[in-house]
Amino acid sequence: MNISVIGTGYVGLVVGACLAETGNYVVCADVDHKKIEGLRHNQLPIYEPGLLPLVERNQQQSRLTFTDDVTAAISSASVIFIAVGTPPDEDGSADLRHVLAVADQIGRHMTRELVVVTKSTVPVGTAAKVAAAVARHARHPFHLCSNPEFLKEGAAVDDFLKPDRVVLGVDTDHARSVMAELYAPFVRTGKPIIFMDIPSAEMTKYAANAMLATRISFMNEIAALCEKVGANVDHVRKGIGSDPRIGASFLFPGAGYGGSCFPKDVKALVRTAADCETSLEVLQAVEDVNERQKHRLFEKLSVALEGKLRGVQIAVWGLAFKPQTDDMREAPALTLIEGLLDAGAHVCAHDPVAIHEAKRRLGDRVRFVESYYDAVEGADALIIVTDWNEYRHPDFARIKQALRRPVLIDGRNLYDPVKMAEMGFVYDSVGRPMKRLVSRPAATLVA
Ligand SMILES: NC(=O)c1ccc[n+]([C@@H]2O[C@H](COP(=O)([O-])OP(=O)(O)OC[C@H]3O[C@@H](n4cnc5c(N)ncnc54)[C@H](O)[C@@H]3O)[C@@H](O)[C@H]2O)c1
């Protein structure tokens, strides 16, 4: 099939490369000329494991091309994916400007019967607006499909090639059969393609992200209560996660959720409800809890350093909103670092892949280092924000020797509180009792 993908960000690039991998001819278009120029030379604008070989191979075999001429991309395709950004507007609603601008261009420049697929996350009712925008200038028939994307940054290629399910909202048999054919190679192991009406497909994406965000905020609240009552959230998490009705995923407490999706999608769904003169009270609370959680690591550090943050030096490990990505949109590390800088602390930070992005956002107000051990050299405390694998088994003796004070705040519960206390760290994590080593009468651990 001849496919065009408009918008070559995290989603568009992965979708385009994966569809080319199954033999389609794919044109990826974007208004960002620099991005397109880089992609033509196999330079990816994002860090995403497994994506580069796909882009290289399919470009080399001429199945995947990149262009900044959106009009040309539209005129050559029989299936067009809209994968542009839908950032939050000032009132929290999804800003549909880019989606509708592309729809308008599709209407003006289509050269044949088309299936127009919305990949961007858009509120219920957007397909009708897309249809109206295309129809204004269309000279050929077109069909709509709402195809929400469930990929996870950091595992996006795998998620697209081996999806748990594909959700397709369609309005005609033609759209249904074209999309079924397109996705057939990805569901050969029997994973379902779930067809539904378009509004339900649009809603499914928001409901999925809202549910996942709810689990995170719920566990963050349970973790805070565990701290108060002396329970250990790790045990609680395992205790509830083994119930198949609950399941073990997305039950890890931490520094609060971030990224390009959960924060904006929760806000947009709350906004949709308000527009319908109803309220989503659970989701409003989910958002409030998350905002509070993003400040928890700062508060814990403040307690550990007895409120004296002016002039101290703090090492931060992990900047991306989660491991395996360089995405820092709404990252909890940004909230923490801004708080530290406001309080007069100096920050030295490490991340395996997100330093270039962090520099763009924080400039020279933070010192960035290539080695995570360099970050702790002479620091008054270490805070871990992102659970990159390389932080899981560090050389604790080296860290303790490098730190001016052995204070370690672990926002991802990577280490054992008992062992950390035995090694002499003042160690705090999320939802687990702190242990202290008392030296008299005998060296013993107390809660
Ligand atoms: N990032 C994720 O993990 C993820 C997952 C599922 C769904 N989504 C949704 O997919 C959509 C895209 O997300 P993203 O993270 O890829 O965004 P992104 O910001 O990384 O990329 C969007 C791209 O669209 C381009 N663009 C904007 N207007 C354009 C236009 N008129 N013509 C051509 N290109 C244009 C931008 O230059 C940019 O490169 C959003 O609606 C998002 O909510 C994202």
Side-chain angles (χ1 to χ4, degrees):
M1 273 186 231
N2 288 320
I3 295 167
S4 287
V5 181
I6 316 297
T8 312
Y10 280 85
V11 170
L13 188 53
V14 171
V15 170
C18 291
L19 290 175
E21 182 71 4
T22 49
N24 298 293
Y25 290 100
V26 180
V27 179
C28 281
D30 202 290
V31 286
D32 185 334
H33 315 290
K34 219 170 127 205
K35 192 182 272 192
I36 292 297
E37 202 42 44
L39 282 164
R40 284 186 178 140
H41 295 95
N42 294 317
Q43 288 156 8
L44 300 197
I46 52 170
Y47 174 83
E48 189 55 53
L51 186 55
L52 183 59
L54 283 189
V55 169
E56 282 174 340
R57 183 166 55 244
N58 286 287
Q59 257 200 124
Q60 206 248 327
Q61 295 176 3
S62 305
R63 284 194 301 267
L64 179 63
T65 51
F66 293 99
T67 181
D68 55 9
D69 185 346
V70 176
T71 305
I74 290 168
S75 58
S76 67
S78 54
V79 180
I80 298 183
F81 284 80
I82 304 177
V84 295
T86 46
D89 223 333
E90 274 165 23
D91 61 1
S93 63
D95 179 350
L96 296 177
R97 246 175 314 164
H98 304 303
V99 170
L100 296 179
V102 173
D104 178 77
Q105 276 183 296
I106 292 174
R108 288 174 192 274
H109 301 291
M110 64 198 284
T111 57
R112 64 196 82 182
E113 185 170 4
L114 271 188
V115 179
V116 179
V117 185
T118 312
K119 253 293 170 212
S120 302
T121 302
V122 292
V124 177
T126 302
K129 293 180 185 169
V130 167
V134 176
R136 214 167 293 135
H137 303 284
R139 280 172 286 114
H140 304 273
F142 65 92
H143 309 260
L144 291 178
C145 173
S146 166
N147 174 210
E149 182 50 61
F150 298 102
L151 61 77
K152 301 182 288 296
E153 286 179 17
V157 171
D158 249 20
D159 286 347
F160 194 90
L161 294 176
K162 291 176 255 168
D164 297 324
R165 82 302 205 186
V166 176
V167 169
L168 294 171
V170 288
D171 65 348
T172 64
D173 288 343
H174 177 75
R176 185 187 174 107
S177 69
V178 168
M179 296 307 289
E181 190 183 332
L182 201 56
Y183 272 106
F186 305 106
V187 292
R188 292 179 65 233
T189 53
K191 297 291 182 182
I193 294 183
I194 306 169
F195 284 100
M196 57 183 76
D197 59 275
I198 289 176
S200 301
E202 291 172 330
M203 189 66 179
T204 298
K205 173 64 189 176
Y206 281 100
N209 276 356
M211 171 64 90
L212 295 172
T214 301
R215 286 171 74 98
I216 293 174
S217 276
F218 174 80
M219 285 310 287
N220 281 332
E221 278 206 308
I222 292 291
L225 188 57
C226 283
E227 287 176 14
K228 299 258 184 229
V229 299
N232 182 330
V233 75
D234 272 355
H235 299 319
V236 177
R237 175 177 59 75
K238 287 177 194 150
I240 62 173
S242 51
D243 181 333
R245 291 171 303 175
I246 296 174
S249 304
F250 273 80
L251 292 183
F252 289 83
Y257 61 74
S260 69
C261 293
F262 289 2
K264 87 171 167 60
D265 293 351
V266 167
K267 282 191 185 73
L269 196 52
V270 168
R271 187 68 226 172
T272 299
D275 290 345
C276 300
E277 289 173 11
T278 181
S279 61
L280 290 176
E281 285 163 36
V282 171
L283 269 195
Q284 186 56 61
V286 164
E287 202 194 338
D288 295 345
V289 169
N290 195 56
E291 276 314 304
R292 217 163 51 228
Q293 195 68 18
K294 285 179 162 185
H295 296 275
R296 288 287 289 143
L297 299 186
F298 178 88
E299 289 159 11
K300 283 173 178 286
L301 179 75
S302 192
V303 170
L305 298 185
E306 294 164 342
K308 294 177 190 131
L309 291 173
R310 183 157 298 282
V312 300
Q313 187 176 319
I314 306 300
V316 174
W317 282 7
L319 296 163
F321 85 94
K322 67 173 183 177
Q324 301 299 332
T325 181
D326 58 355
D327 198 339
M328 285 193 66
R329 288 178 277 189
E330 306 262 353
L334 289 172
T335 309
L336 169 70
I337 290 173
E338 291 295 354
L340 291 171
L341 296 174
D342 282 353
H346 305 289
V347 177
C348 184
H350 173 267
D351 189 284
V353 301
I355 287 180
H356 68 285
E357 181 60 18
K359 278 186 182 160
R360 201 176 67 74
R361 289 166 180 272
L362 295 161
D364 56 9
R365 295 183 297 149
V366 169
R367 192 160 69 85
F368 298 100
V369 286
E370 295 295 327
S371 153
Y372 48 97
Y373 289 114
D374 287 349
V376 286
E377 206 59 56
D380 294 273
L382 164 63
I383 308 190
I384 298 175
V385 190
T386 314
D387 47 342
W388 284 97
N389 271 339
E390 61 199 271
Y391 302 154
R392 286 181 189 274
H393 293 289
D395 181 341
F396 290 111
R398 187 171 167 188
I399 293 171
K400 192 156 172 250
Q401 200 175 26
L403 285 169
R404 273 167 24 94
R405 290 185 256 186
V407 174
L408 202 163
I409 310 294
D410 176 0
R412 298 292 169 182
N413 291 359
L414 297 184
Y415 313 132
D416 179 348
V418 173
K419 288 190 183 144
M420 296 306 287
E422 283 170 353
M423 285 186 281
F425 282 95
V426 175
Y427 174 79
D428 196 5
S429 52
V430 185
R432 303 185 302 174
M434 274 182 86
K435 305 283 178 194
R436 283 180 296 123
L437 195 64
V438 293
S439 49
R440 288 200 185 83
T444 45
L445 277 167
V446 296

